[in-house]
C-alpha cells in the first residue's frame, strides 16, 4: 500500500518559505542561529561546515555558528532551553523527551538527516561473532552508559526474541571503546557504523563482523535536524533557509566528498582526511538511504515514524505516546525537487 506524506503545508505557506529572504542593498542584517552538533566534529557532519565555508547560510540571510555537542539528549535540552535555536539529535531521544513534556512541543525535527539510524555492534570474528545476532550470546559488549545504540538494543532483542541477559554489557566511555576492543578486553562494542572507522584503522576489516540493526528488521530514523518551537513559529523563514542551505551542501558533499572534508578540516585541523572521507562514505549511505529515492532527502514516511514511536514507547515503558505530527514538522523542508539525489 502506498505510504503518504503528512503534515503537508498549505500552498501559501510553501510559497512563502520557498524563496530566500530579501534583504536591503546596504549591509544586510543576518539572522543569528546557534546550532549544536550531537557530538564532536567529524566527517559525519561535514555538510554543515561545507555550507558555512561556501557561504550558503549567508546566502539565506543567516549567521550560523556551530558548536560541538555531548549527545542527543544534551542537544534536545540545549534547544528546549533556548540557548540554541537548532541542532542535531536522535529521533528516539526526541520521542522520549516529548513523552515527558506536556503542551506544545518545545523541540521538533524539521529535516531527517540520517534516514536510517546507523546503529551497529562491531564484533571480533576471533571471538566467534558473525553477522548473525545470535552469535553475540554470552559475549561481552562495550558501550557508553547513555549511548543511543546501546539504548536501542532492546528493540533488536524484542524483534529477534532474545533474552534480556543475552550478552553482558561492559560500560565504558567513547574514548576507551576502541582500546578495549583492540586489546580483547571485550568481544565487541556498540557504534554508529560511521563512527567505527577509528576502529577500522586499528584492526583489519576482515577480522570484524558488523551487525547492523537494520538487518534485524529494526528500521529507525536516526539523527535529525531539530528546531525550537520559538524558531518554527516565530521565524519559519529562517528555519527554511537553514534547511535549504544545508540540503544544498549535503548534495554537494555526496557529489564531491573531498571538498566537504576539506571544509570540515578548516574547523578541525587535526582531522585525518583519509579517515574522514571513509567515515563520510559510510554516513552518506544512511543519509541517502533507500527511502529517499521516493521522498527525497530530509523527509520521512508517516507509518515508519509511527512504528518507531510505538517501539520507543513500549521498550522504554513511556506513559505518554507522542503524536508524530508533533515530532516531525515537514512544513519548512526544501521543495521535493531540490532534495533529489541524482544517480
Amino acid at each position: 500500500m502506498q505510504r503518504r506524506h503528512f503534515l503537508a503545508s498549505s500552498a501559501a505557506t510553501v510559497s512563502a518559505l520557498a524563496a530566500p529572504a530579501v534583504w536591503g542593498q546596504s549591509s544586510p542584517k543576518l539572522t543569528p542561529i546557534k546550532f549544536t552538533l550531537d557530538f564532536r566534529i567529524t566527517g559525519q557532519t561535514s555538510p554543515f561546515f561545507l555550507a558555512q565555508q561556501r557561504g550558503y547560510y549567508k546566502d539565506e540571510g543567516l549567521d550560523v555558528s556551530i558548536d560541538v555537542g555531548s549527545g542527543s539528549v544534551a542537544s534536545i535540552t540545549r534547544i528546549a532551553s533556548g540557548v540554541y535555536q537548532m541542532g542535531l539529535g536522535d529521533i528516539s531521544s526526541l520521542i522520549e523527551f516529548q513523552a515527558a513534556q506536556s503542551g506544545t512541543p518545545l523541540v521538533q525535527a524539521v529535516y531527517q538527516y540520517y534516514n536510517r539510524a546507523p546503529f551497529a555492534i562491531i564484533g571480533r570474528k576471533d571471538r566467534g561473532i558473525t553477522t548473525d545476532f545470535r552469535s553475540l550470546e554470552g559475549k561481552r559488549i562495550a558501550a557508553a552508559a547513555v549511548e543511543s545504540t546501546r539504548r536501542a538494543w532492546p528493540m533488536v532483542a524484542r524483534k529477534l526474541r532474545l533474552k534480556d541477559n543475552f550478552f553482558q554489557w561492559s560500560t565504558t566511555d567513547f574514548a576507551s571503546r576502541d582500546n578495549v576492543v583492540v586489546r580483547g578486553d571485550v568481544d565487541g562494542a556498540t557504534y554508529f557504523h560511521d563512527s567505527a572507522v577509528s576502529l577500522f584503522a586499528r584492526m583489519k576489516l576482515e577480522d570484524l563482523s558488523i551487525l547492523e540493526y537494520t538487518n534485524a528488521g529494526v528500521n529507525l530514523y536516526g539523527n535529525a535536524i531539530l528546531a525550537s518551537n520559538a524558531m518554527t513559529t516565530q521565524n519559519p523563514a529562517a528555519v527554511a533557509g537553514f534547511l535549504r542551505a544545508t540540503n544544498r551542501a549535503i548534495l554537494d558533499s555526496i557529489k564531491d566528498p573531498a571538498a566537504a572534508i576539506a571544509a570540515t578540516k578548516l574547523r578541525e585541523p587535526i582531522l585525518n582526511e583519509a579517515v574522514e572521507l571513509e567515515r563520510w562514505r559510510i554516513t552518506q549511505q544512511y543519509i541517502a538511504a533507500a527511502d529517499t529515492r521516493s521522498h527525497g532527502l530530509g523527509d520521512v514516511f508517516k507509518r515508519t515514524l509511527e512504528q518507531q514511536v510505538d517501539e520507543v514507547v513500549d521498550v522504554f515503558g513511556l506513559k505518554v505516546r507522542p503524536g508524530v505530527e508533533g515530532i516531525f514538522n515537514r512544513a519548512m523542508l526544501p521543495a521535493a525537487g531540490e532534495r533529489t539525489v541524482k544517480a
Side-chain angles (χ1 to χ4, degrees):
M1 182 174 67
Q2 185 177 7
R3 293 175 286 188
R4 299 178 181 175
H5 294 312
F6 67 110
L7 294 177
S9 54
S10 67
T13 301
V14 171
S15 176
L17 297 178
V22 178
W23 304 95
Q25 297 299 314
S26 59
S27 49
K29 181 180 179 182
L30 302 178
T31 299
I33 292 180
K34 289 189 66 178
F35 183 87
T36 176
L37 298 175
D38 64 321
F39 198 44
R40 60 190 177 88
I41 297 169
T42 69
Q44 292 162 297
T45 51
S46 56
F48 299 101
F49 297 100
L50 185 65
Q52 200 172 47
Q53 186 257 332
R54 290 188 169 177
Y56 293 170
Y57 293 129
K58 286 188 177 179
D59 289 347
E60 297 287 350
L62 305 174
D63 178 15
V64 175
S65 60
I66 304 173
D67 291 339
V68 298
S70 54
S72 287
V73 174
S75 292
I76 294 167
T77 55
R78 282 178 172 184
I79 298 167
S81 71
V83 175
Y84 288 81
Q85 292 76 49
M86 301 184 71
L88 199 62
D90 178 56
I91 283 286
S92 293
S93 297
L94 180 62
I95 294 168
E96 284 190 84
F97 178 82
Q98 289 198 5
Q101 308 297 314
S102 60
T104 302
L106 297 175
V107 181
Q108 289 183 304
V110 291
Y111 186 106
Q112 192 57 50
Y113 189 68
Y114 280 109
N115 191 260
R116 281 296 178 269
F119 298 160
I121 290 177
I122 313 293
R124 295 178 56 129
K125 289 183 178 178
D126 63 358
R127 298 295 178 84
I129 296 178
T130 69
T131 54
D132 183 347
F133 280 92
R134 288 175 174 79
S135 68
L136 296 173
E137 185 172 12
K139 301 297 191 293
R140 296 185 71 226
I141 304 300
V146 295
E147 193 255 338
S148 297
T149 309
R150 173 175 180 167
R151 300 195 72 243
W153 168 254
M155 300 180 195
V156 178
R158 189 169 72 164
K159 180 73 70 172
L160 300 179
R161 298 182 180 179
L162 304 177
K163 297 176 295 185
D164 291 342
N165 60 348
F166 188 67
F167 58 74
Q168 178 185 349
W169 287 112
S170 176
T171 301
T172 186
D173 56 39
F174 290 110
S176 303
R177 184 171 49 183
D178 290 352
N179 293 335
V180 295
V181 175
V182 172
R183 288 198 305 260
D185 298 344
V186 296
D187 306 305
T190 59
Y191 285 91
F192 271 29
H193 187 179
D194 41 8
S195 293
V197 294
S198 55
L199 178 65
F200 300 157
R202 299 177 62 183
M203 293 186 69
K204 294 180 180 179
L205 192 56
E206 56 264 32
D207 294 335
L208 298 167
S209 293
I210 302 172
L211 297 89
E212 300 176 52
Y213 283 18
T214 54
N215 292 338
V218 177
N219 293 317
L220 303 173
Y221 290 115
N223 283 357
I225 296 176
L226 311 175
S228 68
N229 177 64
M231 283 296 291
T232 58
T233 57
Q234 298 172 23
N235 202 346
V239 177
F242 182 93
L243 299 183
R244 274 193 302 273
T246 303
N247 181 78
R248 183 181 175 189
I250 291 172
L251 291 171
D252 286 358
S253 300
I254 292 172
K255 184 178 180 180
D256 188 0
I261 299 306
T264 309
K265 192 173 172 65
L266 288 175
R267 172 66 184 268
E268 194 67 62
I270 65 171
L271 294 179
N272 181 309
E273 290 190 46
V275 170
E276 298 310 321
L277 278 168
E278 175 61 15
R279 194 191 307 275
W280 171 251
R281 184 191 68 78
I282 299 172
T283 298
Q284 72 175 32
Q285 296 173 12
Y286 290 92
I287 291 176
D291 282 3
T292 63
R293 288 194 290 269
S294 60
H295 62 49
L297 298 169
D299 206 349
V300 300
F301 283 124
K302 180 181 181 181
R303 182 57 186 149
T304 303
L305 184 55
E306 286 176 336
Q307 290 171 342
Q308 183 164 349
V309 172
D310 290 341
E311 288 277 354
V312 172
V313 169
D314 290 347
V315 166
F316 298 128
L318 305 182
K319 296 180 179 179
V320 175
R321 184 192 185 281
V324 293
E325 292 81 4
I327 295 166
F328 191 87
N329 184 345
R330 66 184 305 275
M332 290 152 285
L333 283 175
E338 298 175 19
R339 295 183 285 105
T340 302
V341 179
K342 303 296 190 294

